[in-house]
Amino acid sequence: MPKYRIAEMLIEIDVRYEQTLHAFRDYLVETDETPDFHVSVGEEELAKAQSENPSASPSYAERFAIFRHVVNEAAKHGVIILHAAVVEVDGAAYAFSAPSGTGKSTHIRLWRKCFGARVGIINGDKPFLRLKDGVLTAYGSPFC
């Protein structure tokens, strides 16, 4: 079963759809380490996610259901998710948190226009945050 490293957590995720594997590919790791937790989405959960997003593809519904599991388990590991866009400039992270459609992605483009190659995109929609040893770190996630 594939394992993914997200926000310093090792997560084993049972994936059904090729599109989900593709969406998570940047977080895939090959390791014999014991995962911090395991995520598996049952038929009932998949059907619920599909009913909540009727126009969504089955693979999108799967990612949505996996997202719920990961967010709940991550909190037990001191990791939270933020609805925001996060950029990095000169070693510091800057988060733009706002409702959908407000212009977070536009802000990223403006930062890139102003600061050029100094701007790195950590995540455009759903970064994970972890406070460890007094340092707050933002991580990318496959859920954006």
Side-chain angles (χ1 to χ4, degrees):
M1 189 166 311
K3 294 178 185 174
Y4 303 89
R5 189 157 325 267
I6 303 170
E8 297 182 40
M9 299 175 294
L10 185 61
I11 310 166
E12 189 173 58
I13 304 175
D14 186 14
V15 176
R16 298 168 195 229
Y17 297 102
E18 187 67 33
Q19 296 93 331
T20 303
L21 287 170
H22 182 74
F24 291 2
R25 72 189 178 283
D26 293 340
Y27 298 87
L28 183 65
V29 294
E30 295 288 330
T31 180
D32 291 331
E33 293 174 67
T34 302
D36 293 304
F37 58 93
H38 172 84
V39 174
S40 183
V41 175
E43 290 296 329
E44 192 173 299
E45 290 174 284
L46 194 57
K48 180 181 179 197
Q50 188 72 59
S51 72
E52 292 171 347
N53 302 282
S55 63
S57 68
S59 65
Y60 180 86
E62 176 182 50
R63 289 191 303 276
F64 187 74
I66 290 170
F67 172 74
R68 285 181 172 160
H69 279 280
V70 171
V71 168
N72 288 333
E73 287 296 321
K76 297 173 187 175
H77 294 270
V79 178
I80 63 167
I81 194 151
L82 180 66
H83 181 222
V86 180
V87 296
E88 179 270 330
V89 179
D90 300 333
Y94 299 88
F96 316 112
S97 182
S100 294
T102 301
K104 296 180 298 292
S105 298
T106 301
H107 271 264
I108 288 175
R109 283 192 294 282
L110 292 171
W111 277 63
R112 287 198 126 169
K113 184 177 179 181
C114 182
F115 296 106
R118 291 172 47 206
V119 175
I121 300 171
I122 294 174
N123 193 269
D125 191 38
K126 294 178 179 74
F128 283 95
L129 300 177
R130 171 179 251 162
L131 181 62
K132 186 175 179 181
D133 300 325
V135 176
L136 183 62
T137 303
Y139 300 88
S141 83
F143 303 106
C144 75

